[in-house]
Amino acid sequence: MNPSVAPSTAEYGGDEVSAIVLDPGFSTTRAGFAGEDTPKSLIPTYYGKYSSEGQENLIFGDDVFVTPRPGLSIHNPMGRDGIVEDWDMAEKVWEYAFTSRLTGPKPGNPLHNGLNDAPEGELPTEMEGVESEEKLLADSPLLMSEPGWNPTKAREKTIEIAMEKWGTPAFYLARNGVLAAFAAGKASALVIDIGASNISVTPVHDGMILKRGVQHSPLGGDYVSSQIRALFKSNTPQPISITPHYLISSKTAVDAGQPPQAKYKTFSPERAPDASYRTLLEERTLSEFKECVVQVWPGPNKLSAAGPNGVSNEELAKSNPGRPFEFPDGYNQVFGVDRYRVVESLFDAKAAIPDPESVFIAPTPAQTVPELIKNALNGVDVDIRPHLLANVVVTGASSLLYGFTDRLNQELMQMFPGPRVRISAPGNTAERKFGSWIGGSILASLGTFHQMWISKKEFDEHGPNIVEKRCNLVIWSSSSHCSSFPSQNPTSFGRLAARVIHSHDRPRQLARILGAKRDANHLTAPAADSKKPKANGSITSFFGVPKTKSNDPKSPITSSSSSFNKQKWVASLTPEQKKLLQLEIDTLDESWLAQLKEEVVKPEFLALKRFLQKEKQSGTKVFPPEDEIYSWSRHTPLHKVKVVIIGQDPYHNHNQAHGLAFSVRPPTPAPPSLVNIFTEIRNDYPSFQRPANKGGLLTPWAERGVLMLNTCLTVRAHQAASHSNKGWELFTQKAIELVARVRTRGVVFLAWGTPAGKRVTGINRAKHYVLQSVHPSPLSASRGFYGNQHFKKCNEWLAERYGVDEIIDWALTSKNKTSAPLATIQSPASTDTSKTSAAEESDAGFPEEENNHATTEPPRSTDTADEFEDDLDALEALAATETNR
């Protein structure tokens, strides 16, 4: 069927014309009627321009590929980021998409239709009440798609064209990601769109995009084509040149790898098309090559890495049968491992084939698909991340590369081993290529969508800015509200999104597209708590591994720790690594070392060790003593951890720090923060008694499963925070994430103060119990630490999860036991207790001066105090020591 010939009226339903859906892209532009399976009009976005008889001519659609006209140059009105750069030509391309297959040519001025010609010698008569030219879309509402990062000016220009130049009676602008999710039958999804010019990752929640999570990079199908060109240039024994069909007169079959035997056409300089025309035709050959030859390495691991059996993945790839390809000039070759290399850089930036002549710069790790997904999920609320991973939608023509979804699944499983990962990637080529258009077809065909349209009257009344108010259904974070406006709100759009999934009034052909297997069970799942915005943490730290079958909290954590061969691991280290890591080898408990062995050999940690080595060589006094830096790991082996208390900086005076957060050696008295901790324990358990001589040694807690871990593990004497930002924070964060990952039955995390709170933002709160409040420092204890009942709540949760025998005994003396009987922890502490707690301290032998300070300190109205109060423990302990001298 000739795309240049307009269809007859009967082809699109006579007078019953429905809304038109336009989905413009960098490579192709799709247009069709709402309610249909696929777009009826599919044209290249490229257009041709040439001069003939002194007049500039334009060529649109597939005609651009047919004849190499003299001086024919190829242009694209779209930028590679998906944003329109040439509006005049974009308008003409889109009009051609309508008129070539949908509406037919727009009627001209009736004054010149041949029926109203004025007699010779007479002036033409004015025709009152007749439009000089009928608008192109006067009878058809228009729904257009746009990328999630489309700027405001471009959106306003789009509605101006639609309303003023095309005369559409109603208009709507929808995001690509939302439409692709709808096409997959999902109102919430993580949409991965692999297009010709870029890759985008869009989180969609209840039919609205989460703006902070939208990511995109230029590594699309055209980038893969550039990698194929780079491969051809480096081919041996001779480079491969691409000769388009229009330059081939005839060819003779040759054996694989042999030079082509072809007769070529030649054009004189004045008859030859522009170089851009040849480039476009070469791209068509490269597209065929991608469809027939290119294959994504399915994993596991990168192509350059070793497989599970120790054999290089490249060696395994070489053992696979090659794929042949014949070029237009008859040259043919069988491609082996190289067919994997050209696309590997989509997942591994280091695998990119260098090409100084390419228009694409070398990719960065942040532009690869795995990193885009990580960053996208980091930009959304932690509560909905598992739900998005369970609804991953893959769309875009370049995602049809053989093996792409297999590799994507492997990457997601490695990055996020805990939650269920489910990828929705239609096997039907049309559904994959036209995902956004199909979603628009579904949306615009719904009877309930009429409330969303922007009418011509509204446009005339409010101007083009109305598109920002009516078509800006965006959530900046999953816990914030969308833009609101009188006639529409996010709640109504969420209901409409559900209607997209459940609707019975959509056309039968769309029901066939979506299929009976798709459902919306996720819409009935408990919604994330939108009233509590949470800070975004590391995405990989949020997800844990699948639960183990063991119900014994003391059982070995994983097979990897039980099978850890420490002697063999030490033998694998380089001499420098052995020297730098001798402390870890000697003092870090083996249950922790087995899990952190990869972390301690990283460049960042080795740089930290070199820094500590210089401190030691310079004679700088560092606390805690070297052999007690990792005492927390020996007192609380990994498989015994039930509670984690997160501290900040070690105490920095003599005879204080010994490797456990908040704990001090005797005879050093407990610093004020620890005194306030004891106060709160007594609020929860009146039988609690402070250690003798006002001490603060907490090793009994550590041996009962309470991991007391400072964020920074060392400090210079008398210089608070002197070792911060040297590398300890990365290491201890990994330790926190490790506990969350391997203690699959659940752990209680106590995070006091803002810095500690940031360390637990990625913890899976469905699996673990996270308790947060202000820091127990005298600066803030009265503002929420007193009365938080964390110690009681901790034991209540442990009793429910592990049983009564596994709760924590908070007692630090042998005379009393705070955890028994269980009845003492069942009812919440009264508010009055917290209010009078300071008064009761004198009875327990607590320093009266410190209690007055804790209770009379005026509350601070800002959050800045929390930022530094974790570091005050060291100063407080020093002051307490000086006072007792």
Side-chain angles (χ1 to χ4, degrees), residues 537-837:
S538 168
I539 182 63
T540 53
S541 68
F542 169 72
F543 299 107
V545 296
K547 292 184 179 180
T548 59
K549 294 182 179 179
S550 171
N551 292 325
D552 183 5
K554 299 179 181 180
S555 61
I557 46 179
T558 62
S559 59
S560 62
S561 61
S562 60
S563 62
F564 174 56
N565 188 328
K566 183 176 179 180
Q567 186 176 5
K568 183 178 180 181
W569 175 75
V570 172
S572 69
L573 300 176
T574 66
E576 184 195 27
Q577 288 175 335
K578 288 181 183 178
K579 182 179 179 181
L580 292 173
L581 299 177
Q582 195 60 52
L583 181 65
E584 285 72 21
I585 295 171
D586 294 339
T587 66
L588 185 60
D589 186 78
E590 194 164 317
S591 66
W592 290 92
L593 183 60
Q595 302 290 333
L596 295 171
K597 61 181 184 295
E598 301 296 334
E599 190 65 23
V600 298
V601 297
K602 288 185 175 179
E604 296 87 350
F605 190 84
L606 295 177
L608 166 67
K609 296 296 295 184
R610 293 188 188 97
F611 165 78
L612 294 174
Q613 189 179 60
K614 290 180 181 178
E615 292 277 82
K616 184 177 181 181
Q617 291 171 351
S618 65
T620 302
K621 188 67 176 177
V622 174
F623 293 118
E626 194 173 55
D627 62 340
E628 291 188 339
I629 292 175
Y630 296 108
S631 66
W632 52 270
S633 71
R634 301 190 297 276
H635 285 297
T636 316
L638 182 55
H639 60 279
K640 291 186 177 180
V641 177
K642 291 184 286 188
V643 179
V644 179
I645 296 178
I646 302 172
Q648 188 69 10
D649 213 37
Y651 300 124
H652 53 69
N653 206 4
H654 294 278
N655 203 43
Q656 292 181 336
H658 63 106
L660 303 182
F662 294 101
S663 180
V664 293
R665 291 172 170 276
T668 303
S673 289
L674 186 53
V675 170
N676 290 339
I677 290 174
F678 291 157
T679 299
E680 183 55 23
I681 295 177
R682 193 178 181 198
N683 286 340
D684 288 349
Y685 302 101
S687 62
F688 174 81
Q689 294 183 12
R690 181 177 169 177
N693 302 317
K694 302 180 182 179
L697 185 66
L698 304 182
T699 50
W701 290 359
E703 292 167 354
R704 295 166 191 160
V706 181
L707 175 65
M708 288 164 281
L709 182 67
N710 278 319
T711 301
C712 189
L713 298 186
T714 58
V715 66
R716 287 177 192 160
H718 318 308
Q719 295 183 39
S722 52
H723 284 184
S724 63
N725 298 320
K726 299 295 184 182
W728 279 127
E729 292 84 355
L730 295 174
F731 177 79
T732 53
Q733 184 63 37
K734 286 293 182 183
I736 293 171
E737 295 170 7
L738 174 62
V739 172
R741 177 166 57 85
V742 304
R743 298 295 287 142
T744 55
R745 292 206 56 203
V747 169
V748 180
F749 289 85
L750 301 179
W752 301 321
T754 301
K758 292 177 180 178
R759 298 292 168 182
V760 296
T761 54
I763 301 300
N764 185 345
R765 299 174 189 234
K767 180 187 299 183
H768 305 287
Y769 191 32
V770 179
L771 294 170
Q772 293 180 244
S773 76
V774 299
H775 194 268
S777 164
L779 292 176
S780 57
S782 60
R783 291 191 287 112
F785 183 78
Y786 288 139
N788 64 21
Q789 302 181 357
H790 279 186
F791 301 92
K792 177 180 292 186
K793 292 176 181 178
C794 170
N795 272 346
E796 290 174 344
W797 189 86
L798 289 173
E800 180 181 353
R801 182 63 62 98
Y802 287 95
V804 177
D805 294 336
E806 293 300 329
I807 62 178
I808 300 297
D809 180 7
W810 298 108
L812 294 173
T813 63
S814 58
K815 297 180 181 180
N816 67 334
K817 187 175 182 181
T818 62
S819 60
L822 183 62
T824 64
I825 65 168
Q826 295 303 317
S827 59
S830 65
T831 311
D832 295 333
T833 305
S834 64
K835 291 181 180 178
T836 60
S837 59

Side-chain angles (χ1 to χ4, degrees), residues 837-872:
S837 59
E840 296 174 359
E841 290 302 331
S842 58
D843 297 336
F846 283 53
E848 184 174 324
E849 182 181 353
E850 292 174 355
N851 286 316
N852 291 337
H853 176 75
T855 55
T856 60
E857 177 73 13
R860 299 179 179 239
S861 60
T862 67
D863 295 329
T864 55
D866 287 346
E867 296 293 343
F868 62 85
E869 60 199 10
D870 282 40
D871 293 332
L872 293 176

Side-chain angles (χ1 to χ4, degrees), residues 53 61 95 258 381 447 457 513 560 663 720-721 860 867:
E53 298 179 356
E95 286 182 0
Q258 295 302 309
D381 194 274
K457 181 180 178 181
I513 291 176
S560 62
S663 180
R860 299 179 179 239
E867 296 293 343

Side-chain angles (χ1 to χ4, degrees), residues 1-14 33 40-41 96-105:
M1 190 174 292
N2 190 339
S4 299
V5 178
S8 64
T9 306
E11 281 187 52
Y12 57 89
F33 292 110
K40 185 169 288 186
S41 178
Y96 182 84
F98 300 141
T99 59
S100 64
R101 294 293 302 139
L102 303 180
T103 64

Side-chain angles (χ1 to χ4, degrees), residues 221-222 224-225 228 285-294 401:
D222 288 349
V224 177
S225 296
I228 298 172
T285 300
L286 292 174
S287 295
E288 293 176 15
F289 185 86
K290 286 186 283 188
E291 294 171 3
C292 301
V293 177
V294 173
L401 289 169

